[in-house]
Amino acid sequence: MLEVRNLKKEYRDDSVVTTALNGVSFLMEKGDFVAIIGPSGSGKSTLMHIMGFLDRPSSGVYKFEGQKMDDLTDDELAYIRNEKMGFVFQFFNLLPRTNVFNNVGLPLTYTKISKHEKEQRIKKAIDSVGLSHRINHMPNQLSGGEQQRVAIARAIVNHPSVIFADEPTGNLDSKSGQQVMEILQSLNDEGHTIILVTHEQYTSEMAKRVIKLKDGQIVSDEKIDSRRIAKDGLVK
């Protein structure tokens, strides 16, 4: 589904060159749940932004569903990003003066499906994260965990091929973070491909595979043999 080969990303500020990614390569299959971990500055968010068509690499090859990123125009990238990718960010990125229903429906704004179909998709997405009883609430009427669940509903409403989650628990308490991770895990069990960027060890252990970055390079790429959530909320 995803192919990354010898990917490099450099940022230039006058004569200063900062290398964020330095020769990253891996393959990812449909239905994977991959956690990308590493310390601050390791390049994990830069990598996610490139894979999510939010940025372009300096060199190397990135293919999404067989299409090379270099072969696509900005408009084509935007279309694929809206139709085939869902995003969940640390700070939710909800519209503050828009209720849950309309926040979740944002990715459907420019689609050609009927109004009835849009409404059904939105309600189903909201129900899947357990927030049907909050459908008319505003973001400031929700807890942090509930806001992140709204963001997840928004990410899946367009039936994307892959969901990118960038530090989705980073702004939550441990209980809310656990609930969010359980939802992502359930979505993966249903067949959704999940790419998670995190610095939290317990969060990464809920994935099927963990790629660790350091100084813009992959230092380990390991499969997780089993995933189990104990009643005390810890991953064993």
Side-chain angles (χ1 to χ4, degrees):
M1 182 179 188
L2 300 177
E3 179 183 351
V4 174
R5 188 165 72 244
N6 199 28
L7 212 63
K8 296 183 180 181
K9 180 64 179 179
E10 294 179 343
Y11 295 99
R12 296 178 180 271
D13 184 8
D14 295 328
S15 60
V16 178
V17 178
T18 302
T19 301
L21 295 173
N22 189 15
V24 172
S25 299
F26 58 87
L27 297 173
M28 199 172 295
E29 301 295 334
K30 182 176 175 61
D32 253 344
F33 188 164
V34 179
I36 300 172
I37 68 171
S40 179
S42 62
K44 56 187 187 295
S45 288
T46 299
L47 178 58
M48 193 209 77
H49 289 163
I50 292 173
M51 290 192 295
F53 289 171
L54 298 170
D55 198 0
R56 289 182 181 266
S58 301
S59 63
V61 174
Y62 172 45
K63 290 183 180 180
F64 177 78
E65 295 185 340
Q67 291 185 292
K68 275 178 78 172
M69 189 178 192
D70 287 348
D71 295 339
L72 300 169
T73 66
D74 287 344
D75 285 345
E76 288 170 332
L77 293 178
Y79 175 80
I80 294 173
R81 189 167 57 239
N82 187 64
E83 292 292 318
K84 297 192 174 185
M85 298 176 175
F87 296 89
V88 181
F89 297 101
Q90 180 176 351
F91 294 104
F92 322 137
N93 292 356
L94 302 179
L95 297 181
R97 298 181 182 179
T98 302
N99 66 15
V100 168
F101 181 89
N102 289 314
N103 260 295
V104 171
L106 283 173
L108 301 177
T109 301
Y110 299 108
T111 58
K112 296 180 181 180
I113 61 176
S114 68
K115 181 179 179 181
H116 175 74
E117 174 67 14
K118 285 182 181 179
E119 290 178 352
Q120 293 304 307
R121 281 198 192 185
I122 294 168
K123 290 177 181 178
K124 183 177 180 180
I126 294 171
D127 183 61
S128 72
V129 297
L131 288 177
S132 294
H133 60 300
R134 296 279 195 260
I135 196 167
N136 294 313
H137 283 57
M138 307 298 280
N140 64 1
Q141 296 175 305
L142 306 176
S143 68
E146 288 174 330
Q147 290 185 60
Q148 192 60 293
R149 285 151 63 189
V150 173
I152 292 173
R154 180 183 59 192
I156 65 174
V157 73
N158 224 9
H159 302 164
S161 299
V162 59
I163 299 169
F164 294 95
D166 191 358
E167 300 282 8
T169 63
N171 203 35
L172 303 176
D173 59 67
S174 58
K175 182 179 179 180
S176 297
Q178 186 74 23
Q179 291 174 337
V180 165
M181 288 307 303
E182 288 177 15
I183 290 172
L184 290 176
Q185 197 175 62
S186 294
L187 290 170
N188 178 244
D189 291 339
E190 293 169 6
H192 290 274
T193 303
I194 311 287
I195 299 175
L196 168 73
V197 168
T198 184
H199 66 276
E200 297 169 328
Q201 186 68 29
Y202 88 92
T203 301
S204 69
E205 289 173 347
M206 294 179 74
K208 294 177 179 175
R209 176 182 173 192
V210 177
I211 296 174
K212 186 175 182 178
L213 293 180
K214 184 178 180 181
D215 298 329
Q217 295 181 313
I218 294 177
V219 295
S220 65
D221 184 349
E222 300 176 342
K223 289 187 176 181
I224 304 298
D225 291 334
S226 61
R227 298 177 297 161
R228 183 168 65 84
I229 305 170
K231 292 181 178 179
D232 57 7
L234 299 176
V235 179
K236 300 268 179 107

